[in-house]
Amino acid sequence: MITNKKNAFFAALGFLIVLTSCEKKAIQTLPQRDWDLVWSDEFNGTAGTAPDNTKWVFDIGTGDNGWGNAELQYYTNRSSNIAMNGSGQLVITARSESFSGAGFTSARIKTKGKFDQAYGRFEARIKTPTGPGIWPAFWMLGSNIDTKPWPQCGEIDIMEQKGQQSSVTYGSVHGPGYSGGAAITKAYGLMNGRFDANYHVYAVEWGADYIDFFVDNFLYQRVTPETVTGEWVYNQPFYLLLNVAVGGNFVGFPTTGTPFPQSMYIDYVKVYKQK
């Protein structure tokens, strides 16, 4: 918690350095990796239809303590919260409405039980929503979560955003000893532009001893066993998740200025293995 103006100034200065440092590295020497596409969904279904049930399953309800994050929404499988738009995108929409005791609705889908993979490149092309208290995410959980509960199963957040910071995205990992507010995380910011205004490609490239985070093929963070402050649990299959949360520990409450409905547009999700 920042308690005085001096600390606030240095915190803001540090945040600015994080953002500008990403923009100044216009040229990078990227790892030379060749990939084979092994799984994808390009959401080319008929407008108003649900995502492919051979690839995705729904999380429904409010979860335990707001899905462990004090989130405010009720996740549904209704077409008003999640459906293909007929133009090649899946749309997840958060709404301000009373539903089963909650004040908001949205949707969350996952590939648990349908697809998982250890290592490779995991990417999605997404246009994100905006507004205070809006929390879009593209992420992964360890497939052993039923026998090794979070955070022992591990979590890789390929993209999560705070709707009140429309020019900033975050990449994080959570594991035993470094979860929740102690996650290993880094922000990447746009100097000119907003993530809700255009599509961007969010990706990780993951190997036995690294997880590289990318935005539009710009490498902005590498996590290794030496980086984390606890056990390295990224040596097993993970499954994928997509969702838009409302409220929660990461973003805080929506405000009277938060516009609803808010939609996340997913153009595709693709998973590769290294050749």
Side-chain angles (χ1 to χ4, degrees):
M1 179 72 69
I2 296 172
T3 56
N4 57 55
K5 292 182 179 179
K6 182 178 180 181
N7 286 344
F9 170 78
F10 285 112
L13 180 61
F15 187 64
L16 180 63
I17 290 170
V18 168
L19 302 189
T20 56
S21 64
C22 294
E23 293 294 331
K24 287 181 179 178
K25 297 178 182 177
I27 299 174
Q28 289 186 321
T29 302
L30 297 176
Q32 294 299 310
R33 300 168 184 151
D34 294 321
W35 304 104
D36 282 325
L37 181 66
V38 296
W39 186 94
S40 67
D41 198 338
E42 300 196 15
F43 306 113
N44 289 323
T46 303
T49 59
D52 187 343
N53 63 12
T54 68
K55 296 180 178 181
W56 303 97
V57 297
F58 289 95
D59 277 328
I60 302 293
T62 56
D64 183 18
N65 183 32
W67 300 97
N69 300 303
E71 298 168 24
L72 304 176
Q73 78 291 324
Y74 191 105
Y75 284 134
T76 85
N77 59 1
R78 303 178 306 164
S79 60
S80 58
N81 291 121
I82 182 167
M84 286 179 278
N85 64 1
S87 298
Q89 289 85 37
L90 178 69
V91 185
I92 298 177
T93 301
R95 299 182 179 276
S96 177
E97 59 180 339
S98 296
F99 189 89
S100 294
F104 304 90
T105 61
S106 190
R108 180 164 113 173
I109 55 174
K110 59 190 178 184
T111 63
K112 184 181 181 185
K114 305 288 186 178
F115 173 80
D116 61 10
Q117 180 173 296
Y119 312 141
R121 179 178 168 92
F122 302 75
E123 72 175 31
R125 185 173 183 263
I126 298 173
K127 184 166 68 171
T128 51
T130 190
I134 302 298
W135 183 1
F138 169 46
W139 51 301
M140 300 194 290
L141 284 169
S143 297
N144 62 352
I145 190 170
D146 293 332
T147 57
K148 299 286 187 182
W150 187 91
Q152 186 65 42
C153 65
E155 175 180 331
I156 303 171
D157 298 324
I158 304 171
M159 176 279 291
E160 59 180 347
Q161 295 177 10
K162 300 178 181 182
Q164 57 267 45
Q165 297 176 345
S166 298
S167 297
V168 183
T169 193
Y170 296 84
S172 309
V173 296
H174 301 252
Y178 51 99
S179 61
I184 308 301
T185 187
K186 188 170 183 180
Y188 173 86
L190 299 175
M191 293 301 295
N192 298 292
R194 297 161 54 105
F195 285 109
D196 61 303
N198 295 290
Y199 285 92
H200 295 271
V201 177
Y202 304 92
V204 295
E205 294 182 5
W206 166 30
D209 58 358
Y210 64 88
I211 304 171
D212 288 343
F213 289 79
F214 296 85
V215 174
D216 297 328
N217 290 319
F218 184 93
L219 173 61
Y220 72 95
Q221 177 178 210
R222 167 169 284 189
V223 178
T224 67
E226 293 73 32
T227 308
V228 301
T229 54
E231 183 183 355
W232 180 261
V233 291
Y234 311 99
N235 50 11
Q236 49 139 345
F238 277 53
Y239 62 88
L240 296 161
L241 302 96
L242 290 160
N243 68 285
V244 178
V246 180
N249 300 327
F250 183 64
V251 293
F253 290 97
T255 70
T256 55
T258 302
F260 284 96
Q262 279 294 323
S263 296
M264 178 166 75
Y265 294 81
I266 305 102
D267 189 38
Y268 64 74
V269 180
K270 296 180 180 180
V271 181
Y272 304 80
K273 276 193 171 180
Q274 196 163 1
K275 293 181 180 180

